[in-house]
């Protein structure tokens, strides 16, 4: 394998990190231990795959050596073993090539999730609520935490818009391909003639920017406070706990009224604002890089129709990779692993091809 030396060095580094994690001095230093544990975790999948490849390669070498055996029965057994093992190597090598690709610097970040109803009126708002529930269920399986910062409900119990912070381990790496237009096809409950309707919502997944990446200057923002609205008990409409922040240079406005504390609402609103400004800067950079470079880093255009949810046929289709699943009921219950893994594999493979073409 052409990159075996590189993987040998990575495995050696992994073993060094394993030893450091058992060092009492490091264990007593919380910050240092967390840093080493993260580095160890980042290498674990790659090292496990490489060790699997090495076991197969060792078994193949032994089987090939046995092919020279004079005993016909042993020779046949060795030939069968070679035939069984050889097809196992290439898929692992392909996975290792992908794992060796430079990581997206945003993969470890938390995200700002924004869902908005589009065409389709009330039916679109109902679907927006179901999609938010789908992501909430998926977040539970990943042990992520969702904090709603802003929500606007429709008269039929749907969501015109919901904005939430999703916190956890490698959230952006799994959610980054969800941005775009999600289309639903079904017969609404209010439809008396049984006609199939098509509605759409938009989903935006923004990597959360920290204070170092986007600094909010006091002169650039205007902060307004107002009474919160909606369910919430005695504090609703009696205290100025809701916060609206306007970024004066760009005109971006962010509101938060989820918490009873004005301080907490302001902190959440600032997190969302930083992420939106960060995303705007990323879009400028990608536009400057040109179409060829954008194809290398993958697609995330939120104006793109990415997925159709067909309820009568229990079918989900992801149009970017041609994936069709007849398990829509399970998907809507938050079982997104198959989709996310297929998308990740596809776009990483595309990135690998693009890098190879650029090198050539």
């Amino acid at each position: 394998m052409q990159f075996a030396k590189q993987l040998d060095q990575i495995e050696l580094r992994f073993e060094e990190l394993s030893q450091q994690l058992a060092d009492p001095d490091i264990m007593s230093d919380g910050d240092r231990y967390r840093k080493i544990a993260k580095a160890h975790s980042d290498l674990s999948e790659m090292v496990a795959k490489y060790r699997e490849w090495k076991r197969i390669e060792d078994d193949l070498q032994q089987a090939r050596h046995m092919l020279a055996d004079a005993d016909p029965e042993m020779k046949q057994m060795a030939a069968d073993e070679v035939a069984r093992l050889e097809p196992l190597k290439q898929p692992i090598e392909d996975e290792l090539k992908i794992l060796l690709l430079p990581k997206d610097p945003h993969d470890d970040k938390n995200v700002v999730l924004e869902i908005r109803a589009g065409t389709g009126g009330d039916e679109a708002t109902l679907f927006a609520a179901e999609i938010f529930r789908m992501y909430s269920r998926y977040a539970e399986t990943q042990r992520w935490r969702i904090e709603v910062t802003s929500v606007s409900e429709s008269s039929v119990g749907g969501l015109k818009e919901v904005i939430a912070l999703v916190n956890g381990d490698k959230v952006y790496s799994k959610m980054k391909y969800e941005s775009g237009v999600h289309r639903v096809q079904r017969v609404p409950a209010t439809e008396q003639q049984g006609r199939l309707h098509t509605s759409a919502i938009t989903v935006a997944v923004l990597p959360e920017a920290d204070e170092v990446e986007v600094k909010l200057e006091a002169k650039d923002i205007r902060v307004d406070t107002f009474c919160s609205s909606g369910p919430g008990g005695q504090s609703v409409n009696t205290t100025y706990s809701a916060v609206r922040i306007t970024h004066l240079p760009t005109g971006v406005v962010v509101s938060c009224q989820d918490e009873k504390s004005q301080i907490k609402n302001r902190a959440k609103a600032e997190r969302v604002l930083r992420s939106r400004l960060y995303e705007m800067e990323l879009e400028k950079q990608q536009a400057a890089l040109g179409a060829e470079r954008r194809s290398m880093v993958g697609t995330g255009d939120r104006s793109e129709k990415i997925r159709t949810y067909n309820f009568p046929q229990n079918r989900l289709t992801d149009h970017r990779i041609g994936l069709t699943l007849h398990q829509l009921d399970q998907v809507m219950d938050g079982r997104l692993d198959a989709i996310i893994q297929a998308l990740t594999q596809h776009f990483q493979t595309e990135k690998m091809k693009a890098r190879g073409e650029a090198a050539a």
Side-chain angles (χ1 to χ4, degrees):
M1 186 165 53
Q2 61 183 12
F3 38 84
K5 287 185 178 179
Q6 182 181 356
L7 287 165
D8 283 336
Q9 294 174 352
I10 291 171
E11 185 179 25
L12 182 61
R13 174 61 179 157
F14 180 79
E15 291 171 353
E16 290 173 354
L17 291 169
S18 299
Q19 293 174 3
Q20 290 177 22
L21 288 174
D23 187 326
D25 292 336
I26 292 175
M27 293 174 70
S28 62
D29 186 338
D31 290 341
R32 192 178 174 194
Y33 182 85
R34 280 191 293 273
K35 185 177 179 181
I36 293 172
K38 184 182 181 306
H40 183 271
S41 175
D42 289 344
L43 296 179
S44 61
E45 183 181 1
M46 190 185 309
V47 171
K49 282 290 174 189
Y50 182 45
R51 287 174 175 173
E52 183 182 355
W53 181 88
K54 286 199 297 184
R55 283 194 295 271
I56 292 172
E57 181 63 19
D58 288 344
D59 291 344
L60 265 173
Q61 293 296 334
Q62 293 179 28
R64 286 173 182 148
H65 182 71
M66 290 171 61
L67 287 173
D69 198 297
D71 186 338
E73 188 175 342
M74 290 295 292
K75 195 170 184 177
Q76 184 58 50
M77 287 176 60
D80 293 342
E81 186 69 355
V82 169
R84 183 184 71 83
L85 292 170
E86 279 189 333
L88 301 178
K89 281 181 61 179
Q90 193 59 50
I92 296 175
E93 289 182 12
D94 291 341
E95 288 185 59
L96 285 168
K97 287 177 185 176
I98 291 173
L99 289 170
L100 283 167
L101 288 172
K103 282 183 61 178
D104 184 330
H106 303 126
D107 276 353
D108 291 336
K109 289 182 178 291
N110 297 325
V111 307
V112 176
L113 174 65
E114 302 182 348
I115 300 174
R116 294 180 177 87
T119 56
D122 288 341
E123 171 65 11
T125 70
L126 292 171
F127 184 55
E130 291 175 64
I131 289 295
F132 182 59
R133 175 183 175 275
M134 176 187 79
Y135 287 134
S136 299
R137 288 288 184 90
Y138 179 67
E140 289 175 9
T141 68
Q142 303 299 307
R143 299 191 176 184
W144 297 341
R145 187 176 76 258
I146 290 186
E147 301 175 70
V148 175
T149 66
S150 175
V151 63
S152 174
E153 297 182 353
S154 68
S155 59
V156 295
L159 295 176
K160 296 178 182 177
E161 177 187 87
V162 59
I163 300 172
L165 297 164
V166 187
N167 308 283
D169 182 41
K170 299 180 179 179
V171 182
Y172 187 73
S173 69
K174 296 182 179 179
M175 291 289 290
K176 60 184 173 182
Y177 300 121
E178 294 301 300
S179 291
V181 176
H182 296 237
R183 186 177 67 171
V184 59
Q185 295 176 325
R186 64 183 174 187
V187 179
T190 55
E191 172 57 53
Q192 297 180 357
Q193 298 181 16
R195 291 176 298 184
L196 192 71
H197 284 227
T198 298
S199 304
I201 67 166
T202 60
V203 174
V205 176
L206 315 179
E208 185 184 353
D210 56 35
E211 294 181 28
V212 175
E213 291 167 320
V214 177
K215 187 172 180 61
L216 295 178
E217 300 285 353
K219 62 182 177 62
D220 291 337
I221 61 174
R222 184 179 73 239
V223 181
D224 300 308
T225 58
F226 56 98
C227 294
S228 58
S229 59
Q234 294 181 348
S235 63
V236 174
N237 294 322
T238 59
T239 61
Y240 286 80
S241 59
V243 172
R244 181 188 300 111
I245 302 179
T246 303
H247 187 249
L248 301 175
T250 61
V252 175
V253 179
V254 174
S255 301
C256 183
Q257 60 176 15
D258 186 56
E259 301 284 350
K260 294 180 180 180
S261 162
Q262 184 184 119
I263 295 173
K264 289 182 179 179
N265 280 331
R266 176 166 178 165
K268 282 187 176 182
E270 287 182 351
R271 289 172 67 184
V272 174
L273 178 58
R274 282 195 194 93
S275 299
R276 286 195 186 167
L277 295 175
Y278 187 57
E279 176 76 0
M280 290 170 66
E281 185 59 33
L282 288 179
E283 287 177 355
K284 287 181 185 177
Q285 292 175 9
Q286 290 193 9
L289 287 171
E292 182 179 347
R293 174 64 179 140
R294 286 201 303 274
S295 69
M296 288 175 63
V297 298
T299 181
D301 184 357
R302 69 186 77 148
S303 67
E304 176 188 6
K305 181 184 74 176
I306 63 167
R307 197 173 292 158
T308 296
Y309 303 73
N310 187 299
F311 278 77
Q313 298 178 15
N314 195 34
R315 170 173 56 81
L316 175 141
T317 300
D318 194 290
H319 304 288
R320 296 164 295 178
I321 60 175
L323 174 70
T324 296
L325 298 174
H326 289 276
Q327 301 171 338
L328 182 55
D329 53 339
Q330 296 181 29
V331 170
M332 296 307 295
D333 200 37
R335 301 180 194 177
L336 299 177
D337 287 325
I339 302 170
I340 289 172
Q341 287 170 10
L343 286 166
T344 302
Q345 179 81 13
H346 171 82
F347 286 114
Q348 286 181 334
T349 301
E350 289 297 307
K351 187 187 293 186
M352 185 173 64
K353 289 179 182 176
R355 285 175 63 86
E357 291 170 2

